[in-house]
Structures are given as C-alpha cells and as structure tokens.
Amino acid sequence: MQKLTIHGGTPLSGEIQISGAKNAALPILCTSLLTYESLRIKNVPHLNDVTTMLKLLKQMGTNISIDKDSEISLTTTHLSNPIAPYEMVKTMRAAILVLGPMLARTGEAKISLPGGCAIGLRPVDQHIKGLQAMGAEIHIKHGYIHAKASQLIGAHIVMDTVTVTGTENLMMAATLAEGITTLENAAREPEVVDLACCLISMGAKIHGAGSDVITIKGVKLLHETTYQVIADRIEAGTFLVAAAASGGDIHLKNTCPNILNSVLDKLVESGAKIQSGEDWVNLKMTNKLQSVNICTAPYPAFPTDMQAQFMVLNSVAEGTSRITENIFENRFMHVLELKRMGARIEVEGNTAVVHGVDKLEGASVMATDLRASACLVLAGLIAQGETIIDRIYHLDRGYERIEEKLLSLGVKINRIN
Ligand code: EPU
C-alpha cells in the first residue's frame, strides 16, 4: 500500500493549474447513457473515481476513447448490460448516478444499493422516491435496486432533503420523460448547474438549475455535444487553505472564484489577502492566522467538502473556533489523527471546538476518507518534522497529481510503496 511522506514547514509558493471538477465530471460522463450519439467531454480530471466510472460505463455498453490528456469521447449506441454491480458501487457511491439515465433510456436498471460509508449513512431514498413519482416500479432485493418503467412520466417532486446526486439523477431521468418534471428543494451546487448546461447542450429543456426549483420538459431524443467540465472548487479551496495555513503566497489558474465565495470569505476572515479575476485567484498570507467559525450547509453556504481542511487551519490559528458539520453525521474522523499531531480539539455532537496551538508535530497518521486525507496532507505540510500518511488511495480518488502540484509549490513530499 502506498504512503506519503511530508517534511513540513515550507510556506507554499508558486503557481498551479486547477483540474476539472470530479463531482461535475462524474454525472456528466453518465449523460452518455441518455443518447445514441457521441459526446466529447473536456477537462476531465485523471482520478481513480473517474476511472471507476469509465469502467462501469464500458461494462454497460459505452464505447470510450481517451483522445488526449483530460479529453474523453463516449458513445453508447447500445446499452447491453443495465447493471451496476456491488463491486463498483462499493468503491464509488457516485455509481448511483447511472440509475436515472439508464432507467430513462432502457426502461430498466439494476443497481447495487450503496450502503453506508465512512462519513455517514448516506441513504438514496430521495433518488428512489423521485423515480417512483415519475412512474417507476422499484423493488429492493438482495441488496440491489431493481427499477422498471416502460416510459417515465413527468412529475412534481418535492425533495425531503437537499441532495446533490439525488437532484442530478432525477434531472437526467426527467430529460427523456414524457411531460414536465419539477424538482422542488433541488440542490443548487455548481456541479448540478454544470450537468444541466451539458444536458442543455445535448438538447434537453431545463430551466432553473442553480435555484431550488428546476423544471425539465422531457424530449424524445438527446444528441451529441462537446462539453468542458468546470474547474474543481474543492481542489482550489484545498490549495488556498494550504497556502494560508503555511503562511504562503500562491496563484491558481483555470479556476472559478465566483463559485468559491463562502470559502474565500472565510480565508479573508482568517487574515489572508486575496485577489481574483475571472479564472484566477491569488492568495498571500502576511498576517497572523486567525481562527474562523464554520457551519457547513448546502451551496451557496460553506461546503462540507472543505470542513476538514479548515480544521487544520484553525488548529494552528489564534483563538478558539467552532466547526459545525450539518451534512454528514460522521465527518470528524480526521479529528483523532490531528490530535495525534498535537491539535487541541474537542468534539461535542456535530460541533468540533478547536483551540489554536503554536505548532503541529509530524506523526504517522491514517487517511479515512477523501477530504480527511487532504486535511492530513495540509497538517503534514505545516507540521514540524516528518508526517507519514497511510491509506492514500482515498486521496487519489479526488485530487489529480497532488504531489506534483505540491512539489511545484515547494512542499517536500514523496510517495513511497
Ligand atoms: N440524503 C438522504 N437521502 C438521499 C440522499 C441524501 O437523506 O436520498 C442525505 C445524505 O445522507 C446527507 C445529505 O442528504 O446527509 C446530503 O447528501 P447528498 O446526497 O447531497 O450527497 P451526495 O450527492 O451523495 C455529493 C458529493 C459529495 C459531497 C455532497 C455534499 C458527488 C459525487 N459527491 O454527495 O462529495 O460531500 O454531495 O455536498 O457529487 C467528496 O467529493 O468528497 C464528496 C463526498
């Protein structure tokens, strides 16, 4: 199993390019299931989750070619195998995203139930409820969701909770349904908007993406497109926090500051000086780091996927802060590892109280999920001495060429087998 070693203490300095967004690319690749024609998707990050999704699509009948770096062509002339097996869904929950398009296209889908995962229970009841409202017959047998519908029918669906992949699944299914579907209490995340833009470029009739009410008028067929995935706001945020916590100065290219507002606001509050343009952000840390309170919530509020990274920042900032996690019930697993590195954190229910200390100390730590892994990398690069991070396969699911980027910013980082 591979590990990362990091010698901490160097402020990040330099310029990097932000990759395409994992959580936009995954649903966008699934749109291939909705059309007989070819899609060309650009700015797809090279990540393990993307590889798993491509494997799943290929197994279902999609023809895939990797044209050049970050550019993928997909053609699903014939969906030969409408099954997403447990082996794939268990390694990547986003595999649930094939449910809606597969059902809309073939009238049938069989997908393994994802089950719980490290950060929480993560049920998919809203995906199922929405498809049932559109006329699907759904049975759960032997751990699999069996869905059937000779023709999905548009429906008015009020979602009980804001769900990103739930909104995406239903939006994709509704593009080929008969009549109009309205999704109320829909997720407003930029990745949902990016998927909607891709679908619109394929001929879908979608209004309201980015608001909490999305209306989709079903069409008979969708067609070919070429589409570029948006930049990864969580990758950008992670590097910005790394620069702020290490007292650095970095420039991010190919990013979208307008979808990062809640994170940028917190970085300014922590003492960072930020400048930005349409597709770039510059962060310089010259002041003493101040701790900031964080409360995670659906977009446009502060993202849960940035919570762990800000925990590191607060660990070495001046003052005491409160970090409240409102999306996932078990997303504080990094706390124990940070405490082993000298952080002072107490957890009270879904709130972590962080007392800033002067420094963290390098240690051997274990990554437990994707964003917790990023948090440990950040902790390692500001800690005194050497940090060894185990189970970094989590990191490779969501950060493209992370060591290469950190090395170019001056971090002493190494991957070992
Ligand atoms: N929920 C339900 N029922 C459902 C669906 C969700 O109760 O049918 C609950 C979940 O248990 C959770 C909350 O609703 O408490 C929000 O979950 P959501 O469905 O929005 O999460 P997701 O779609 O499974 C996506 C991202 C996550 C990100 C969350 C929240 C993808 C592939 N994944 O997950 O990304 O944390 O939205 O923004 O888009 C990551 O990249 O590290 C990651 C975990």
Side-chain angles (χ1 to χ4, degrees), residues 22-23 94 119 122-127 161-165 189 304-305 327-328 331 370-371:
K22 164 180 84 81
N23 289 347
I119 61 176
R122 304 183 75 181
V124 289
D125 57 306
Q126 297 305 305
H127 304 233
T161 185
V162 179
T163 153
V164 175
T165 49
E189 269 64 6
T304 172
D305 292 343
I327 305 292
F328 294 114
R331 216 177 196 183
L370 169 56
R371 306 305 168 186

Short mmCIF file of all heavy atoms in Angstrom, two decimals, residues 22-23 94 119 122-127 161-165 189 304-305 327-328 331 370-371, ligand 1:
data_model
loop_
_atom_site.label_atom_id
_atom_site.label_comp_id
_atom_site.label_asym_id
_atom_site.label_seq_id
_atom_site.Cartn_x
_atom_site.Cartn_y
_atom_site.Cartn_z
N LYS A 22 -14.18 16.85 -10.11
CA LYS A 22 -14.59 15.44 -10.01
C LYS A 22 -16.11 15.32 -9.95
O LYS A 22 -16.71 14.54 -10.68
CB LYS A 22 -13.96 14.82 -8.75
CG LYS A 22 -14.61 13.51 -8.31
CD LYS A 22 -13.99 12.93 -7.07
CE LYS A 22 -14.50 13.45 -5.77
NZ LYS A 22 -15.75 12.86 -5.26
N ASN A 23 -16.73 16.10 -9.06
CA ASN A 23 -18.16 15.92 -8.82
C ASN A 23 -19.05 16.49 -9.93
O ASN A 23 -20.26 16.31 -9.90
CB ASN A 23 -18.55 16.51 -7.45
CG ASN A 23 -17.99 15.66 -6.32
OD1 ASN A 23 -17.53 14.54 -6.56
ND2 ASN A 23 -18.01 16.18 -5.11
N ALA A 94 -20.83 7.33 -6.22
CA ALA A 94 -21.37 8.10 -7.34
C ALA A 94 -21.88 7.19 -8.45
O ALA A 94 -22.56 7.66 -9.38
CB ALA A 94 -20.32 9.07 -7.87
N ILE A 119 -18.22 8.40 6.03
CA ILE A 119 -18.65 9.72 6.53
C ILE A 119 -20.11 9.77 6.97
O ILE A 119 -20.55 10.74 7.55
CB ILE A 119 -18.35 10.86 5.52
CG1 ILE A 119 -19.09 10.65 4.20
CG2 ILE A 119 -16.86 11.00 5.30
CD1 ILE A 119 -18.91 11.79 3.21
N ARG A 122 -25.72 7.95 4.44
CA ARG A 122 -25.91 8.34 3.05
C ARG A 122 -26.96 7.49 2.31
O ARG A 122 -26.64 6.78 1.34
CB ARG A 122 -24.57 8.33 2.31
CG ARG A 122 -23.55 9.23 2.97
CD ARG A 122 -22.26 9.29 2.24
NE ARG A 122 -22.32 10.10 1.04
CZ ARG A 122 -21.29 10.28 0.23
NH1 ARG A 122 -20.14 9.73 0.48
NH2 ARG A 122 -21.42 11.04 -0.84
N PRO A 123 -28.23 7.54 2.76
CA PRO A 123 -29.27 6.78 2.07
C PRO A 123 -29.54 7.35 0.67
O PRO A 123 -29.09 8.46 0.36
CB PRO A 123 -30.49 6.97 2.96
CG PRO A 123 -30.25 8.22 3.71
CD PRO A 123 -28.75 8.35 3.86
N VAL A 124 -30.26 6.60 -0.17
CA VAL A 124 -30.61 7.09 -1.51
C VAL A 124 -32.14 7.11 -1.68
O VAL A 124 -32.66 6.99 -2.79
CB VAL A 124 -29.94 6.25 -2.63
CG1 VAL A 124 -28.44 6.52 -2.68
CG2 VAL A 124 -30.20 4.76 -2.45
N ASP A 125 -32.84 7.27 -0.54
CA ASP A 125 -34.31 7.24 -0.58
C ASP A 125 -34.91 8.33 -1.48
O ASP A 125 -35.94 8.12 -2.13
CB ASP A 125 -34.88 7.36 0.85
CG ASP A 125 -34.38 8.60 1.55
OD1 ASP A 125 -33.14 8.80 1.61
OD2 ASP A 125 -35.20 9.41 2.03
N GLN A 126 -34.25 9.49 -1.57
CA GLN A 126 -34.80 10.58 -2.39
C GLN A 126 -34.68 10.29 -3.88
O GLN A 126 -35.53 10.69 -4.67
CB GLN A 126 -34.11 11.92 -2.06
CG GLN A 126 -34.32 12.38 -0.63
CD GLN A 126 -35.80 12.45 -0.26
OE1 GLN A 126 -36.59 13.11 -0.92
NE2 GLN A 126 -36.17 11.74 0.79
N HIS A 127 -33.61 9.58 -4.26
CA HIS A 127 -33.45 9.16 -5.67
C HIS A 127 -34.64 8.22 -6.00
O HIS A 127 -35.28 8.36 -7.04
CB HIS A 127 -32.16 8.36 -5.89
CG HIS A 127 -30.89 9.05 -5.47
ND1 HIS A 127 -29.82 9.19 -6.31
CD2 HIS A 127 -30.49 9.60 -4.29
CE1 HIS A 127 -28.83 9.80 -5.69
NE2 HIS A 127 -29.22 10.06 -4.45
N THR A 161 -34.95 16.36 1.41
CA THR A 161 -33.67 16.92 1.84
C THR A 161 -32.91 17.37 0.58
O THR A 161 -33.19 16.87 -0.50
CB THR A 161 -32.88 15.85 2.65
OG1 THR A 161 -31.72 16.44 3.16
CG2 THR A 161 -32.47 14.66 1.81
N VAL A 162 -32.01 18.30 0.77
CA VAL A 162 -31.25 18.76 -0.40
C VAL A 162 -30.18 17.72 -0.70
O VAL A 162 -29.32 17.45 0.13
CB VAL A 162 -30.58 20.13 -0.12
CG1 VAL A 162 -29.76 20.58 -1.33
CG2 VAL A 162 -31.63 21.17 0.22
N THR A 163 -30.27 17.10 -1.87
CA THR A 163 -29.26 16.10 -2.24
C THR A 163 -28.69 16.39 -3.62
O THR A 163 -29.44 16.59 -4.58
CB THR A 163 -29.82 14.65 -2.14
OG1 THR A 163 -29.09 13.81 -3.06
CG2 THR A 163 -31.30 14.54 -2.46
N VAL A 164 -27.36 16.38 -3.69
CA VAL A 164 -26.67 16.74 -4.93
C VAL A 164 -26.87 15.64 -5.97
O VAL A 164 -27.45 15.87 -7.03
CB VAL A 164 -25.16 16.98 -4.66
CG1 VAL A 164 -24.41 17.23 -5.96
CG2 VAL A 164 -24.98 18.15 -3.69
N THR A 165 -26.43 14.42 -5.67
CA THR A 165 -26.56 13.35 -6.68
C THR A 165 -28.03 12.97 -6.88
O THR A 165 -28.41 12.54 -7.97
CB THR A 165 -25.73 12.10 -6.31
OG1 THR A 165 -26.00 11.75 -4.96
CG2 THR A 165 -24.25 12.33 -6.50
N GLU A 189 -25.88 23.35 -6.10
CA GLU A 189 -24.42 23.27 -6.27
C GLU A 189 -24.00 23.56 -7.71
O GLU A 189 -24.71 23.18 -8.66
CB GLU A 189 -23.94 21.87 -5.87
CG GLU A 189 -23.53 21.68 -4.42
CD GLU A 189 -24.66 21.86 -3.39
OE1 GLU A 189 -25.83 22.02 -3.80
OE2 GLU A 189 -24.37 21.84 -2.19
N THR A 304 -19.38 21.17 2.93
CA THR A 304 -18.87 20.12 3.83
C THR A 304 -17.53 19.58 3.33
O THR A 304 -16.69 19.17 4.14
CB THR A 304 -19.89 18.96 3.96
OG1 THR A 304 -19.29 17.89 4.69
CG2 THR A 304 -20.35 18.42 2.63
N ASP A 305 -17.32 19.62 2.01
CA ASP A 305 -16.07 19.07 1.46
C ASP A 305 -14.85 19.94 1.77
O ASP A 305 -13.72 19.58 1.42
CB ASP A 305 -16.19 18.88 -0.07
CG ASP A 305 -17.18 17.79 -0.42
OD1 ASP A 305 -17.52 16.98 0.46
OD2 ASP A 305 -17.64 17.74 -1.58
N ILE A 327 -24.02 18.31 7.29
CA ILE A 327 -24.42 17.47 6.14
C ILE A 327 -24.25 15.99 6.44
O ILE A 327 -25.16 15.20 6.23
CB ILE A 327 -23.61 17.85 4.88
CG1 ILE A 327 -23.73 19.35 4.58
CG2 ILE A 327 -24.06 17.02 3.68
CD1 ILE A 327 -25.09 19.83 4.15
N PHE A 328 -23.08 15.60 6.92
CA PHE A 328 -22.81 14.18 7.18
C PHE A 328 -22.59 13.94 8.67
O PHE A 328 -21.91 14.73 9.33
CB PHE A 328 -21.61 13.71 6.37
CG PHE A 328 -21.86 13.72 4.88
CD1 PHE A 328 -21.16 14.59 4.05
CD2 PHE A 328 -22.82 12.89 4.31
CE1 PHE A 328 -21.41 14.62 2.68
CE2 PHE A 328 -23.07 12.92 2.94
CZ PHE A 328 -22.37 13.78 2.13
N ARG A 331 -18.44 13.00 9.97
CA ARG A 331 -17.34 13.56 9.17
C ARG A 331 -16.29 14.27 10.03
O ARG A 331 -15.73 15.28 9.62
CB ARG A 331 -17.88 14.48 8.08
CG ARG A 331 -17.05 14.34 6.82
CD ARG A 331 -17.52 15.13 5.66
NE ARG A 331 -16.88 14.63 4.43
CZ ARG A 331 -17.03 15.14 3.25
NH1 ARG A 331 -17.79 16.16 3.06
NH2 ARG A 331 -16.39 14.63 2.21
N LEU A 370 -11.79 10.79 1.61
CA LEU A 370 -11.11 11.70 0.68
C LEU A 370 -10.70 13.04 1.31
O LEU A 370 -9.54 13.44 1.26
CB LEU A 370 -12.02 11.89 -0.53
CG LEU A 370 -11.68 12.97 -1.53
CD1 LEU A 370 -10.27 12.81 -2.07
CD2 LEU A 370 -12.68 12.93 -2.68
N ARG A 371 -11.67 13.74 1.89
CA ARG A 371 -11.32 15.09 2.40
C ARG A 371 -10.52 15.01 3.69
O ARG A 371 -9.73 15.91 3.99
CB ARG A 371 -12.59 15.93 2.56
CG ARG A 371 -13.46 16.01 1.31
CD ARG A 371 -12.72 16.51 0.07
NE ARG A 371 -13.52 16.30 -1.14
CZ ARG A 371 -13.10 16.52 -2.37
NH1 ARG A 371 -11.88 16.95 -2.62
NH2 ARG A 371 -13.90 16.30 -3.40
N1 EPU B 1 -29.51 12.16 1.82
C1 EPU B 1 -30.65 11.49 2.19
N2 EPU B 1 -31.36 10.82 1.23
C2 EPU B 1 -30.97 10.77 -0.07
C3 EPU B 1 -29.80 11.45 -0.45
C4 EPU B 1 -29.08 12.14 0.53
O1 EPU B 1 -31.03 11.51 3.36
O2 EPU B 1 -31.65 10.14 -0.89
C5 EPU B 1 -28.73 12.91 2.83
C6 EPU B 1 -27.30 12.39 3.00
O3 EPU B 1 -27.25 11.31 3.91
C7 EPU B 1 -26.60 13.64 3.51
C8 EPU B 1 -27.32 14.77 2.78
O4 EPU B 1 -28.57 14.23 2.36
O5 EPU B 1 -26.80 13.75 4.88
C9 EPU B 1 -26.59 15.32 1.58
O6 EPU B 1 -26.15 14.26 0.76
P1 EPU B 1 -26.03 14.40 -0.82
O7 EPU B 1 -26.96 13.43 -1.46
O8 EPU B 1 -26.11 15.82 -1.23
O9 EPU B 1 -24.55 13.88 -1.06
P2 EPU B 1 -24.07 13.10 -2.33
O10 EPU B 1 -24.83 13.56 -3.50
O11 EPU B 1 -24.01 11.65 -2.05
C10 EPU B 1 -22.28 14.85 -3.14
C11 EPU B 1 -20.81 14.83 -3.37
C12 EPU B 1 -20.09 14.74 -2.04
C13 EPU B 1 -20.48 15.98 -1.22
C14 EPU B 1 -22.01 16.04 -1.05
C15 EPU B 1 -22.49 17.25 -0.33
C16 EPU B 1 -20.68 13.75 -5.53
C17 EPU B 1 -20.27 12.58 -6.33
N3 EPU B 1 -20.49 13.68 -4.21
O12 EPU B 1 -22.57 13.62 -2.46
O13 EPU B 1 -18.70 14.80 -2.32
O14 EPU B 1 -19.87 15.92 0.04
O15 EPU B 1 -22.63 15.98 -2.34
O16 EPU B 1 -22.12 18.38 -0.99
O17 EPU B 1 -21.15 14.74 -6.08
C18 EPU B 1 -16.43 14.44 -1.87
O18 EPU B 1 -16.19 14.88 -3.01
O19 EPU B 1 -15.53 14.24 -1.01
C19 EPU B 1 -17.81 14.14 -1.52
C20 EPU B 1 -18.13 13.34 -0.50
#
